Amino acid sequence: MPADRYDPTLFQTTVAADMGVAAPVSCFAIMQYVIEDFELSYFPGGRRSRRLSYSDAYSNLSFCILQQIVRAASGVNYQRYVREEILRPAGVTAMVVGRGRQSQQRPGEVTYYDQPFSPLVTSQYPQDANPVPRPYSFVVEAMAGHGGWIASANDLVRYAAFTPTGPGGATTFFGSLNGTRSVLKEEDDVFVAIVWNASPSDSGFDVVAEFGGLIENGIDAVTIWPSRNLWAEHGYP
C-alpha cells in the first residue's frame, strides 16, 4: 500500500489534489477522502485478519474519526472538550493542540530538529514557498486526534497518574513524528515520561528499544520515594 494510502493524514498535498481542493485540509476532509476512496480491510468491530501486518492495521485515521465523534457527541470544539472535560480535572491546563508552521509556534514551545544533515523538504502548507525542515512540513492542526498536542513530561505524568490502568498495571506508550519522540511508562503506581525535540533515527521505535530498559532500571534503583507532594512545586493542584 503506498504511503499516502497507508496514512493520508501525513500526505496533505496528495489528499488535496485527489479531492480537488486547496491544502491544507482538515481531519474531517481527510475522513471523507478515505470513506470515498478506500476499501475496508475488515468490517468495523470485526476481528483483524491475521494476514494484516501491524503497519497495515495501525492507522492514525482511526483517531481522526474519533475526534469527529467527540465533537459531534459533545457539540463543542474537540480541543475545548478535551481540555475542559479530560485534562482540567486531572490538573493539566497547559496542553494545547500545536500548529505545524515554525512561524506559528505556541509561546514557550521548543524548536524541533530532524536528524543531523537531513535535507529540507517541501512543506504541506502552500504558504511556504521554500523548502522547510521536515519537522515543520506536517499539518499538525489536522492531527489533534492522534498526536498533535503539545505537552511537557510533567503534563504526561500528571495525566497518567490521574487515569492509571489499575493496581498492578504495567504499560508503555510511545509516540513519534519527525522532530519528536516521547515515552510514557506506567509500572504499578510509578509513572515516567521522557520527551525529545529531535529525531535520532527514521524509526519511531528507537526510543522504546533504547530507553525502555533504562527507565525500568531507573525505577528499580529507587528504594525511597519523596514523601512530600511534588505536584505543587511544579504548578499542579
Side-chain angles (χ1 to χ4, degrees):
M1 178 180 289
D4 57 331
R5 292 265 167 182
Y6 161 53
D7 192 350
T9 62
L10 300 179
F11 292 85
Q12 287 266 338
T13 52
T14 299
V15 175
D18 285 354
M19 296 184 70
V21 299
V25 295
S26 67
C27 169
F28 183 76
I30 294 172
M31 184 178 69
Q32 288 181 307
Y33 165 74
V34 173
I35 290 173
E36 293 174 359
D37 290 7
F38 282 48
E39 292 184 4
L40 292 175
S41 298
Y42 56 95
F43 288 105
R47 177 172 295 180
R48 178 171 67 87
S49 170
R50 293 183 178 179
R51 293 178 299 172
L52 296 175
S53 68
Y54 171 82
S55 53
D56 286 328
Y58 179 87
S59 173
N60 289 325
L61 182 72
S62 301
F63 296 95
C64 170
I65 295 173
L66 178 61
Q67 173 184 339
Q68 304 309 310
I69 294 173
V70 170
R71 187 185 68 171
S74 66
V76 299
N77 173 274
Y78 171 76
Q79 177 178 216
R80 176 182 173 185
Y81 180 86
V82 172
R83 283 174 55 85
E84 293 183 356
E85 302 297 329
I86 299 176
L87 297 176
R88 191 178 300 278
V92 178
T93 58
M95 285 181 60
V96 294
V97 174
R99 294 184 287 229
R101 302 182 70 207
Q102 189 169 14
S103 61
Q104 297 181 339
Q105 284 190 274
R106 301 285 188 179
E109 186 178 359
V110 300
T111 299
Y112 304 105
Y113 298 94
D114 202 355
Q115 298 177 61
F117 310 110
S118 294
L120 300 180
V121 299
T122 301
S123 173
Q124 303 280 323
Y125 294 90
Q127 304 97 311
D128 295 324
N130 298 318
V132 299
R134 190 162 47 165
Y136 295 100
S137 66
F138 301 104
V139 181
V140 176
E141 295 89 336
M143 301 180 182
H146 64 84
W149 288 79
I150 301 170
S152 67
N154 287 347
D155 287 336
L156 295 178
V157 168
R158 175 70 184 194
Y159 172 73
F162 191 80
T163 55
T165 58
T171 187
T172 301
F173 302 92
F174 75 95
S176 68
L177 193 65
N178 292 111
T180 70
R181 292 290 189 273
S182 59
V183 174
L184 174 61
K185 183 173 180 59
E186 173 186 352
E187 188 169 321
D188 296 325
D189 59 347
V190 177
F191 305 87
V192 178
I194 306 177
V195 293
W196 293 263
N197 61 325
S199 300
S201 75
D202 281 331
S203 171
F205 295 88
D206 48 16
V207 290
V208 176
E210 295 293 334
F211 289 91
L214 179 64
I215 294 173
E216 293 180 3
N217 292 339
I219 294 174
D220 294 340
V222 178
T223 57
I224 300 176
W225 295 92
S227 59
R228 68 185 189 280
N229 183 0
L230 300 178
W231 290 119
E233 297 181 15
H234 295 278
Y236 297 92

